[in-house]
Amino acid sequence: MLRMSTLFLRTLRDDPADAEVASHRLLVRAGYIRRIGAGIYSWLPLGVITLRNIERVIREEMDSAGFQEVHFPSLLPREPYEATNRWEEYGPSLFRLQDRKGADYLLGPTHEEMFTLMVKGEYSSYKDLPLSIYQIQTKFRDEARPRSGIIRGREFVMKDSYSFDIDDAGLDVSYQKHRDAYIKTLDRLGMKYNIVRAVSGAMGGSKSEEFLAPCPTGEDTYVLCPSCGFAANVEAMVTKVDSVDSSTTPALEEMDTPNTPTIDSLVDVLNERFGGGFTGAHTLKNVMVMADGKAIAILVPGDREVDLKRFQENCGGIHELRTFEDSDFAKFPGLVKGYIGPQDAKALGITVYADPRIAPGTSWVTGANKINRHARNVVNGRDFTPDAYIEAAEVRAGDACPECATPVVIDRAIEIGHIFQLGRKYAQSLSLTVLDQNGKSQVVTMGSYGIGVTRAVAAIAEQTYDEIGLNWPVDLAPAKVHIVATGKEDLPFETADAIATELEAMGISVMLDDRRGTSPGVKFKDAELIGNPVIVVVGKSLEQGNVELRVRRTGDKQEIPLSGAARAIATLVESL
RNA sequence: CGGGGCGUAGCGUAGUGGCUAGCGCGCCUGCUUUGGGAGCAGGAGAUCGGGAGUUCGAAUCUCCCCGCCCCGACCA
């Protein structure tokens, strides 16, 4: 039983000045967490209890799916990460440190290497597989910009699982088992979420999905088809555009277009000269980027921006990607800034990637690679040929669903879980092999599955809070029942204590506000701010032999007789 | 890393060169009060983020550094 007279808790009347998003603001005000540094938080008792409740649900679902819990250190030696090249590849986000002898260590940002090595150390036969193991562990990432309180921290708790299979079919089964377990877990956590197609990116692997909790303060943007239910992270959005027959398109024609270095100015000139009807969508934008030191042109329709992250994820294998600077243009005198077209790319030694909207046979107005000159009727396949088609244009609400062509909607969300098929990358570089039926050595194939546990605290807070405070699902709240005793006599306090004791005996957790001399208003405000699902008030109505019962979420109030109150409260809790 | 904002008591804040750094919340003592963040009286609590400088005098002006928040870049 949590007695507020002794509970280590101080609620704040004012919003903390450094908290903007609701979950952060309320978790601080209600005394769950305190900030220690950017992206680093301490947990007070109420926060710890809530966090443990979420962990408990996750653990139960992982265990019941047959996954086994293990535990790794956060402090890790350099060598395993050297073997997979991630000591370097992870870049500045890795917390690196040295021991007294000068040996390199890191604080684990994720544990693929350690899991792989653990299995390698124990297993060596196909008969031991499949295997899925998991841990709940603190991760460290030196984020360039921690933000939104606990949503993106530099130290955070994650549940990470890994599956090990002998072949791709086995991996599919393990993946599906995790997917099912995640659905059960997030349902039990009372979260609203969408399962969304993701890009596996540099991690390789064939299949990847994210569990996104819709929320305006989320950092991820995803598309959703209102008709067929297709959902994808914007990076994984697929554009379907058919080829066009260009046999009747007139020949490429260059023209003088003085002083038109921007799409807008070009559209104006076109409309003036050819009697209107032109928009940015008729022009071809050539965005020059440097990818690991290599010059690349990205082609998108003129009315769209390039989404560099989307391009990078879909291209794969690019470490550093940035737009051209003046010094880069200096190396390519054939490129006239503001008048670039893809026609001469081959001659200039530039790789051309086209967004799928630049479909074969489509005709465009674009730069002529000469100052103050543009070209029209520039046809893909005739006047230029992209080296590859890569999704690169920004995704917009209203774009066509790749499954059913219905205009999609766009929403923001917090990424709460991510599952993906890793494949053999880690097993390969760390030599995790087992012998198959024929005694032949086989590289194991892996899956990787994560749930952000501390992030889930914030996401659930974001999805459930209201004007007066936090508002937890019944299984996650610090206590299921919050009993407030009011008045200056002993009777309400003794009565409240008795009900609390009875409820605890029934296995229902109770927070009891037994503070003497604290005014009722303060107690009510605190109860609402803390967000336990059922609030019981023992006070005034005691004269009629009643106690008052409120459901935090709905605000529904009722008076129930004192006799049998505990039983009635228990029934209400069960119904939530 | 680029842009913007900020740093004064546990929290929220006032204070643009001049008295002992002010107020609200919270905290302590006493009395009163007890159904919606109570009242009165008394009190404790601040190296004004740090350092250097300008000045008779600096929270306030200058320079350097540190930290925090927001937008963007970045982020298995």
Side-chain angles (χ1 to χ4, degrees), chain A residues 140-415:
Chain A
F140 298 85
R141 293 182 196 177
D142 193 1
E143 297 283 353
R145 185 152 98 78
R147 74 184 93 185
S148 308
I150 234 165
I151 293 176
R152 173 175 294 273
R154 292 193 293 173
E155 174 178 329
F156 58 97
V157 176
M158 183 188 235
K159 189 288 302 178
D160 50 330
S161 314
Y162 300 84
S163 66
F164 300 85
D165 282 277
I166 185 76
D167 55 23
D168 293 348
L171 174 55
D172 282 339
V173 173
S174 294
Y175 181 91
Q176 191 59 41
K177 279 177 79 174
H178 274 90
R179 195 177 191 276
D180 293 344
Y182 273 36
I183 289 168
K184 279 192 194 166
T185 305
L186 298 195
D187 285 348
R188 273 187 67 189
L189 291 177
M191 237 187 274
K192 292 193 287 285
Y193 62 93
N194 287 301
I195 304 175
V196 151
R197 175 199 297 216
V199 180
S200 346
M203 296 301 298
S206 51
K207 197 168 185 193
S208 172
E209 289 168 294
E210 291 169 338
F211 289 71
L212 299 184
C215 170
T217 54
E219 307 181 276
D220 283 71
T221 309
Y222 70 105
V223 300
L224 192 62
C225 175
S227 169
C228 74
F230 170 85
N233 196 305
V234 284
E235 292 139 35
M237 174 65 168
V238 177
T239 310
K240 287 240 171 87
V241 180
D242 291 333
S243 311
V244 173
D245 175 16
S246 61
S247 54
T248 59
T249 310
L252 182 148
E253 175 195 342
E254 283 193 21
M255 54 193 165
D256 280 323
T257 51
N259 221 7
T260 55
T262 63
I263 298 286
D264 285 347
S265 56
L266 177 61
V267 169
D268 288 345
V269 166
L270 291 171
N271 282 325
E272 202 175 295
R273 202 168 292 175
F274 302 108
F278 285 90
T279 68
H282 295 96
T283 68
L284 183 61
K285 188 186 282 188
N286 301 257
V287 177
M288 298 303 305
V289 297
M290 273 292 181
D292 297 327
K294 221 178 113 203
I296 285 177
I298 301 175
L299 309 184
V300 296
D303 63 333
R304 301 233 176 199
E305 296 301 321
V306 168
D307 182 336
L308 278 181
K309 186 177 183 196
R310 196 161 172 258
F311 173 77
Q312 185 168 4
E313 292 286 349
N314 283 290
C315 207
I318 296 175
H319 294 295
E320 199 209 334
L321 186 67
R322 57 173 177 80
T323 50
F324 253 45
E325 291 160 7
D326 286 342
S327 59
D328 299 313
F329 277 109
K331 286 179 219 155
F332 292 90
L335 293 175
V336 185
K337 215 173 160 180
Y339 302 90
I340 299 174
Q343 304 88 307
D344 307 323
K346 288 271 182 312
L348 293 166
I350 291 166
T351 309
V352 176
Y353 291 119
D355 186 82
R357 287 177 180 79
I358 319 301
T362 50
S363 169
W364 303 88
V365 179
T366 192
N369 297 313
K370 293 169 191 134
I371 184 78
N372 294 334
R373 299 271 286 175
H374 278 89
R376 65 171 179 154
N377 301 325
V378 181
V379 172
N380 181 2
R382 184 186 73 185
D383 303 314
F384 69 96
T385 308
D387 291 280
Y389 292 91
I390 306 276
E391 296 281 352
E394 57 170 332
V395 173
R396 291 186 191 153
D399 285 351
C401 169
E403 305 285 338
C404 70
T406 305
V408 298
V409 297
I410 285 194
D411 201 6
R412 306 265 288 178
I414 299 172
E415 180 186 344

Side-chain angles (χ1 to χ4, degrees), chain A residues 80-87 89-90 110 112-113 116 163-165 168 171 200-206 316-317 319 420-433 443-448:
Chain A
Y81 287 77
E82 194 71 68
T84 54
N85 203 31
R86 285 214 291 186
W87 176 263
E89 227 170 57
Y90 216 95
T110 172
E112 282 84 358
E113 285 82 354
T116 308
S163 66
F164 300 85
D165 282 277
D168 293 348
L171 174 55
S200 346
M203 296 301 298
S206 51
H319 294 295
F420 59 98
Q421 301 191 349
L422 270 181
R424 297 185 169 79
K425 172 179 169 163
Y426 290 93
Q428 187 78 262
S429 47
L430 294 166
S431 308
L432 170 59
T433 59
V443 176
V444 168
T445 184
M446 296 168 56
S448 158

